[in-house]
Every structure is written in C-alpha cells, then in structure tokens.
Amino acid sequence: EGLVVRAVECGYEAGAISDDCSRAGIVRALEASGATGLKLVVGSEFMLDCGLKCVLLVENKASYARLCELITIARRAVPKKGTYRLLREDVERVLSGVAARELGLFALWIPARDQVAEQARWLQALFGARAFLAVELHREQDDVARLAQLLALAAGLGMEAVAAGDVHMATRRRRVLQDTMTAIRHSVPLSGCGEDLFRNGERHLRTRRALGNIHGAGADGDRVLETAATLARGCNFD
C-alpha cells in the first residue's frame, strides 16, 4: 500500500509489482490500486540458474497463466520453502510453440556489472522486440559511465532500453526496515550483513524530476523514461 500511495504522490501513472519468483504482493497492491486509481502492472522477477536476471511483465490473461506456470515450476524444483530454481529449458518449454508477438509477456533484462551479451540474445530469441534492457541507476559514483555503457550495450544488441528502479521501499526513510529484513533473511546480525545491504537508500520510489536527472537530460534520458511509460500502457491485464 505504501508503494502505491507514494507512486501517486510522485505523479506516476502506473506501477509494477514484481516480487522474486512470486505474486505475493499483487492482492494488496490491487486493493490499493483501486483506492487510488494507479494502474497496476503485474509481473515477477527471476534469477535463472545460469545467472540471467530478468523481470517478466504481464500483458493479458494468457500471459498471466504462463507467468504462474513458471513460478510453479521454479518453486517445485527445490524442496526448501522460500527458494526456487528455474532453468532456461523450463522457460523454453513453457513458451514453446508461441510466437514472440503472441507471448503476452514483456522481458526486462537486468544486466550484471560483468554483463554477458549472450543472455540478452537468448531473451531476444524468445521474446523478440518484447525483450528490453533495464537501466537501473542508484546515484552511485559511476552512474554517468554506467548509463553510457548500458545505452551502448542496448544499441549494439538492437534492444530498446527502459528505465527501471529496482524499488524495494516506498521512501528513503524505510531503509532501516529494509536492512533489518535483509538481516533476518540471511539469519545474521545487522552488523554482519556487509555487502548484502544496499550501498545507499536510493531504491525507493523517486519523483519524476529525480528520475529525469538520474537518467540524464536530453533525448536519451527522455527516451528510456518514455519507453517505461509506453510499456506500462501496453500491460492491460486486470
């Protein structure tokens, strides 16, 4: 509910809830969406066994069923509750026989610092023009260089770049709670979390003005933000 309220305050027209291999947050998000008028985009984030990280966003009812099937396969693949395992073969099997334009899913590739272009090509083979490169910037020292690197990578791959936030909290002041939940998840004291904690509090919902500054002024910055808005408008699953 906090995320939805904050999104409205920031002037967003839509917000995507994409829990890690889960749909756990969408029921309460739907209730908040109905109360505020913010459009809800349903999705889920996955870390594949090969190291590929991506978010899948749902366009329609048929693609929602495919997303649920992927989550079920991944959760059933491991005996321990709270974990999952998803292989490329699993994704290919669920999506087999469906043309890219008919999948009803959009894929946002989240490249690691040592990004592997082969991961993007695999996504492109499955999703075609529905595969995007997610640009996530969090006011770190190398944001300018990182942005240039990601835009160049997208251009080289022929992928559209899209602004994304990797949001974990509604406001910056919730970072204390975020860090505490991280410590609980790893079963270690807060003082022992080290690099498991985010470097700063920038994974909150930022204003549109802040996003414009972060992604850079000019055509490139405007384009990655507009692509995000266009993508959200194309997701009509209710």
Side-chain angles (χ1 to χ4, degrees):
E1 297 96 324
L3 286 170
V4 172
V5 170
R6 172 64 177 168
V8 172
E9 292 174 350
C10 290
Y12 289 32
E13 65 180 68
I17 299 295
S18 54
D19 293 317
D20 190 25
C21 190
S22 171
R23 298 168 297 112
I26 65 170
V27 174
R28 292 171 70 177
L30 178 62
E31 294 172 351
S33 171
T36 61
L38 183 82
K39 178 178 179 179
L40 174 64
V41 177
V42 176
S44 191
E45 182 177 288
F46 297 93
M47 175 69 80
L48 272 61
D49 203 52
C50 65
L52 185 154
K53 186 177 181 181
C54 67
V55 169
L56 299 183
L57 299 178
V58 170
E59 178 187 17
N60 51 37
K61 184 177 180 180
S63 58
Y64 179 72
R66 295 186 182 104
L67 182 75
C68 293
E69 185 175 358
L70 286 171
I71 292 172
T72 301
I73 290 170
R75 292 292 180 182
R76 285 181 172 176
V78 292
K80 184 180 178 182
K81 186 177 180 179
T83 61
Y84 69 91
R85 186 186 184 203
L86 189 64
L87 306 176
R88 289 192 183 187
E89 292 83 355
D90 298 326
V91 180
E92 291 167 351
R93 185 168 65 254
V94 171
L95 304 184
S96 64
V98 183
R101 65 181 181 277
E102 298 172 357
L103 284 176
L105 288 169
F106 296 101
L108 276 62
W109 177 48
I110 306 173
R113 290 281 169 173
D114 54 343
Q115 66 265 356
V116 180
E118 182 273 333
Q119 295 179 352
R121 296 190 188 98
W122 179 78
L123 280 176
Q124 287 176 303
L126 285 176
F127 294 90
R130 288 172 168 263
F132 296 81
L133 188 151
V135 178
E136 298 178 345
L137 303 171
H138 300 108
R139 294 193 185 279
E140 297 180 348
Q141 292 182 346
D142 63 344
D143 269 6
V144 174
R146 179 66 173 162
L147 175 60
Q149 179 189 43
L150 291 175
L151 292 177
L153 179 62
L157 291 166
M159 296 180 81
E160 193 78 26
V162 58
D166 191 26
V167 171
H168 283 68
M169 51 197 141
T171 60
R172 183 185 282 107
R173 63 177 177 269
R174 303 289 280 181
R175 186 185 175 185
V176 174
L177 176 59
Q178 169 66 33
D179 289 351
T180 302
M181 296 300 292
T182 300
I184 292 171
R185 186 170 72 251
H186 289 281
S187 300
V188 296
L190 188 58
S191 60
C193 285
E195 293 186 355
D196 288 325
L197 302 179
F198 294 133
R199 296 180 183 179
N200 57 35
E202 287 297 314
R203 283 173 173 79
H204 66 278
L205 277 171
R206 295 167 287 190
T207 65
R208 289 162 57 186
R209 180 187 295 273
L211 290 175
N213 292 335
I214 290 165
H215 288 88
D220 288 337
D222 292 341
R223 181 163 183 170
V224 295
L225 291 168
E226 184 56 39
T227 299
T230 301
L231 187 57
R233 293 170 192 146
C235 295
N236 296 308
F237 171 70
D238 182 353

